[in-house]
Amino acid sequence: MILFYIFYLVSNSHAITQESEEITNLSALEKTEQPSIHKEKELLDFIKVGNKDVFESNNAYVSFITKKAALFKGSNTIVYAEICFEIAKKLTKDNEPYQAYEYLDVVSNILKENDISEISFAAEFYEMKGTYFYDFRRYEESRILLLKALKQQKEESTLKISMINTLGLIHKKLGDIDSSIYYFNKGLKLATKIDNNEWIGIINGNLGFIYYLNGDLISARKCLILDKELSLKNEQTESALNALALLIEIELNGGRFDLVETYMKTLDSLIPQVTDYYSVMRYHYIKTIYWEHLKEYKLAYESYQQSVLYKDSSGREYDQLNLQNMIFQIKFQKNRNESELLIEKEKRTGQLYYGIAIILSVIILACIYIIYLMRKRKIYEHKILELEKEKIRTELKKNEEELNKILENLVVKNDIIDTLNQEINKREVSDENLTLQKEKEVIYEKINTFTLLTENDLLEFKHLFDKIHPSFYDSLIQKQDDLTNSETRLAMLIKLNLSSLEMSRILGISQDSVRKSNLRLRKKLSIESQKELIQFIKTV
């Protein structure tokens, strides 16, 4: 656990985001059990990030976060309240309502002692708990919570529509039809404003059912048609089935039998996808009416039997759910009282945990300091490496300058040789007497002192060239091992990006001779053009 905490702090301070490291450390975190290491804010951030992909299953992830949340049991902070609320949302999504409700009750106890107007998740929390009370058939308590949630929710969103719709359902259950219609119309107006087709369909279905019960079949038909179309579009099978069932009754009463046939075909196509007892019962009830209309009394009787069967099943399911809710609430109240006693006992051992937390904090700080020293050493080593690289770059630049200096000296030598050759030619044109012959011999001696690329020159040139292009000579010989020294020398000059004029002055030959040397080199390397030769040498 200490290792995970260290990793968490270091990763936050240095923005380390490598996925593999994250997964490794989360796996290590999953095995830890020490309560004092994790602060509430860290656990909340961990839950909000959504790390469940690194666990073997969703159950393992939920088990992990509930275990860690249990370490802070008894806390009265807003952060802990939000932790419990996040867990309740995940349990609700996983169809674990009773476990979720226990966490919602913890949140409720904390929020009642705080100013909820400053709490970001208050509206969503009261909406969720109000919905739970609605499912538990505690309609008045549900209404109070939803009104509280509606007061906190300023933003026009699907959450606000959900609150308003549930309030409409509550008033329908309480028999206050006018209030129910008011809330449904209010929710419909908001859903239309933000263009939410799913909620437009749902609320139209609720309104259509109320209008149907009140005998306003025209308004009911209008709402139910829209509900049917949007439910089919959004693949809300049960909603579409219930809308179609009511529409078929309305159309039969109105004598629009062509629409009845169309709706019945659609209804028949939906029933294989439905598992809810009530919806299946509604289907068979409508089929009974339909067969009676066609005077198919045998089929009508069979459909009636099926509707009764599913009605009984639906009633038993409803009663069983009510019984489960009642048993849960009794047990919950009992467990709540026991939990309060347990929390009181745990407070007495709080000082011991606090001392342990201080010791562990000292250990953690020591480990962090060690990591800081290690990081500082790494930075120092990095600076040394950069200095070494800079030294190598400086030496390379110096070698290039020395090589250029040698090439310039060779050009000067060849210029002198060229001058001396011109002097010789002038002397040959004039009369060659004995004195001139001696002068000629002196000039030749001077030429011999300026021999192009003496052995020392070549050695020094090659030494500097190898520092700039260390593997060129060996690579070239490997590619073509029958090259002469002059051809190798020419290739080295081409590698230096010298022009034909520069190469002729360095080698002490004419540009035409340079071109011929290039031609011979190309033939030996089986290369067609000078451009290809240059590209070949650049790749060596």
Side-chain angles (χ1 to χ4, degrees):
M1 175 146 180
I2 294 174
L3 292 177
F4 168 78
Y5 189 86
I6 295 170
F7 170 78
Y8 183 84
L9 292 178
V10 174
S11 63
N12 280 346
S13 61
H14 300 295
I16 298 174
T17 58
Q18 289 83 350
E19 184 178 356
S20 59
E21 294 181 8
E22 181 180 328
I23 292 174
T24 300
N25 283 277
L26 290 176
S27 298
L29 173 63
E30 189 175 7
K31 298 177 182 178
T32 184
E33 294 294 338
Q34 299 183 33
S36 61
I37 259 337
H38 295 290
K39 295 180 180 178
E40 293 174 351
K41 185 67 171 62
E42 292 168 0
L43 179 58
L44 178 60
D45 292 341
F46 178 80
I47 295 172
K48 283 188 172 182
V49 167
N51 294 285
K52 71 177 183 179
D53 290 339
V54 303
F55 292 87
E56 294 180 357
S57 65
N58 183 63
N59 288 338
Y61 170 66
V62 174
S63 175
F64 171 74
I65 60 176
T66 53
K67 185 188 296 183
K68 296 306 169 188
L71 300 175
F72 307 106
K73 191 173 183 180
S75 172
N76 287 315
T77 65
I78 297 300
V79 175
Y80 178 63
E82 192 169 2
I83 290 172
C84 292
F85 177 60
E86 291 293 331
I87 294 174
K89 287 199 294 185
K90 296 184 186 303
L91 289 169
T92 301
K93 187 177 180 181
D94 293 342
N95 197 27
E96 296 288 345
Y98 297 143
Q99 286 181 264
Y101 182 79
E102 293 177 4
Y103 284 96
L104 291 176
D105 188 68
V106 174
V107 180
S108 184
N109 290 333
I110 296 173
L111 294 192
K112 68 184 180 182
E113 299 176 4
N114 292 273
D115 180 9
I116 61 173
S117 63
E118 302 296 326
I119 299 172
S120 60
F121 63 92
E124 191 178 359
F125 161 74
Y126 285 117
E127 187 275 336
M128 180 179 285
K129 190 170 184 183
T131 303
Y132 266 85
F133 278 153
Y134 174 82
D135 292 336
F136 291 159
R137 277 71 177 175
R138 294 163 64 175
Y139 299 121
E140 187 58 35
E141 292 171 277
S142 176
R143 187 183 69 84
I144 292 171
L145 287 172
L146 287 169
L147 288 173
K148 201 172 186 178
L150 199 59
K151 186 177 180 181
Q152 298 301 314
Q153 182 64 25
K154 306 299 182 183
E155 182 183 356
E156 295 180 341
S157 62
T158 55
L159 179 63
K160 191 170 186 178
I161 298 172
S162 177
M163 299 175 191
I164 297 170
N165 179 69
T166 307
L167 281 168
L169 293 173
I170 289 170
H171 283 283
K172 186 183 77 170
K173 293 289 186 181
L174 295 174
D176 187 356
I177 301 303
D178 290 338
S179 296
S180 179
I181 292 174
Y182 164 77
Y183 280 112
F184 285 142
N185 281 323
K186 184 177 180 180
L188 183 60
K189 183 178 179 181
L190 179 56
T192 303
K193 182 177 180 180
I194 66 174
D195 196 25
N196 189 307
N197 285 333
E198 184 175 349
W199 274 111
I200 290 173
I202 292 171
I203 297 176
N204 268 290
N206 292 333
L207 275 171
F209 184 67
I210 288 180
Y211 289 139
Y212 175 81
L213 293 178
N214 286 348
D216 186 357
L217 300 185
I218 295 176
S219 298
R221 183 172 181 269
K222 180 180 177 181
C223 292
L224 291 169
I225 288 174
L226 185 56
D227 178 30
K228 180 261 299 182
E229 291 174 352
L230 292 176
S231 295
L232 290 173
K233 181 180 179 181
N234 296 323
E235 298 183 354
Q236 296 169 309
T237 307
E238 291 180 0
S239 178
L241 186 146
N242 290 322
L244 282 166
L246 285 174
L247 279 171
I248 289 170
E249 284 193 68
I250 293 171
E251 305 303 357
L252 281 172
N253 291 331
R256 290 178 285 271
F257 303 122
D258 53 335
L259 287 175
V260 171
E261 292 296 332
T262 302
Y263 289 159
M264 188 57 70
K265 288 178 182 179
T266 306
L267 193 67
D268 289 337
S269 68
L270 293 177
I271 195 62
Q273 307 171 44
V274 177
T275 57
D276 177 64
Y277 286 140
Y278 177 81
S279 296
V280 177
M281 181 272 290
R282 285 287 300 159
Y283 166 77
H284 287 293
Y285 172 75
I286 292 302
K287 291 291 286 188
T288 301
I289 297 174
Y290 174 73
W291 291 127
E292 285 178 348
H293 164 70
L294 296 178
K295 302 189 185 321
E296 294 286 348
Y297 298 113
K298 181 179 179 181
L299 293 174
Y301 179 72
E302 292 175 354
S303 295
Y304 173 74
Q305 286 183 315
Q306 290 293 318
S307 69
V308 171
L309 179 64
Y310 279 102
K311 183 178 181 180
D312 292 340
S313 298
S314 177
R316 284 194 298 271
E317 185 179 57
Y318 180 87
D319 293 339
Q320 185 177 7
L321 183 59
N322 274 339
L323 180 61
Q324 287 177 347
N325 288 337
M326 185 176 63
I327 292 173
F328 162 73
Q329 292 177 71
I330 293 172
K331 287 184 176 179
F332 173 78
Q333 191 60 44
K334 179 182 177 182
N335 292 336
R336 182 178 181 181
N337 294 336
E338 292 175 352
S339 296
E340 289 175 355
L341 291 174
L342 183 61
I343 291 171
E344 190 64 31
K345 183 184 292 185
E346 288 176 348
K347 285 182 180 178
R348 290 194 289 267
T349 61
Q351 291 182 345
L352 175 63
Y353 289 129
Y354 183 76
I356 295 173
I358 293 175
I359 295 172
L360 291 176
S361 298
V362 172
I363 295 173
I364 290 167
L365 290 174
C367 292
I368 293 173
Y369 181 70
I370 292 171
I371 290 176
Y372 167 77
L373 293 178
M374 292 173 63
R375 180 173 176 78
K376 189 175 181 181
R377 179 181 176 184
K378 188 175 181 180
I379 293 172
Y380 177 75
E381 291 174 349
H382 178 72
K383 288 182 178 179
I384 292 175
L385 182 61
E386 288 296 323
L387 290 173
E388 291 176 351
K389 288 181 179 179
E390 183 62 29
K391 183 179 178 182
I392 292 171
R393 285 194 292 268
T394 303
E395 289 180 356
L396 182 61
K397 185 177 180 181
K398 183 179 178 182
N399 290 333
E400 289 178 345
E401 292 174 351
E402 290 178 3
L403 181 59
N404 290 331
K405 186 175 181 181
I406 288 176
L407 294 176
E408 290 173 1
N409 290 336
L410 290 175
V411 171
V412 172
K413 284 184 178 182
N414 288 321
D415 288 340
I416 295 172
I417 292 171
D418 185 64
T419 302
L420 293 174
N421 280 325
Q422 291 176 10
E423 290 178 11
I424 291 171
N425 291 333
K426 290 179 181 179
R427 295 293 183 180
E428 287 177 345
V429 173
S430 63
D431 294 332
E432 293 186 2
N433 52 34
L434 183 59
T435 303
L436 294 175
Q437 185 64 32
K438 289 181 178 180
E439 290 180 0
K440 187 175 182 180
E441 290 174 357
V442 171
I443 291 171
Y444 274 113
E445 287 178 2
K446 288 182 179 180
I447 292 173
N448 289 333
T449 62
F450 290 93
T451 302
L452 175 64
L453 290 176
T454 63
E455 185 175 349
N456 288 335
D457 291 335
L458 284 170
L459 288 174
E460 187 175 359
F461 173 78
K462 187 175 182 303
H463 176 70
L464 292 172
F465 182 88
D466 286 342
K467 286 187 177 181
I468 299 173
H469 304 290
S471 61
F472 176 80
Y473 180 82
D474 293 334
S475 299
L476 183 63
I477 295 303
Q478 287 178 0
K479 291 179 180 291
Q480 195 74 28
D481 58 2
D482 60 344
L483 296 178
T484 65
N485 289 334
S486 61
E487 290 168 342
T488 305
R489 185 170 54 206
L490 178 63
M492 294 167 75
L493 294 175
I494 293 174
K495 184 72 174 179
L496 293 173
N497 291 323
L498 299 179
S499 65
S500 296
L501 177 59
E502 289 172 330
M503 286 189 281
S504 68
R505 294 175 67 184
I506 291 170
L507 296 173
I509 59 178
S510 66
Q511 290 190 58
D512 187 56
S513 297
V514 173
R515 284 191 289 272
K516 290 178 180 179
S517 298
N518 274 302
L519 181 59
R520 287 193 295 272
L521 180 58
R522 283 175 11 221
K523 286 182 178 180
K524 186 167 288 188
L525 294 173
S526 300
I527 293 175
E528 293 294 332
S529 66
Q530 184 66 18
K531 184 177 180 181
E532 291 176 348
L533 175 62
I534 293 171
Q535 290 177 347
F536 169 76
I537 289 175
K538 284 184 178 180
T539 59
V540 176

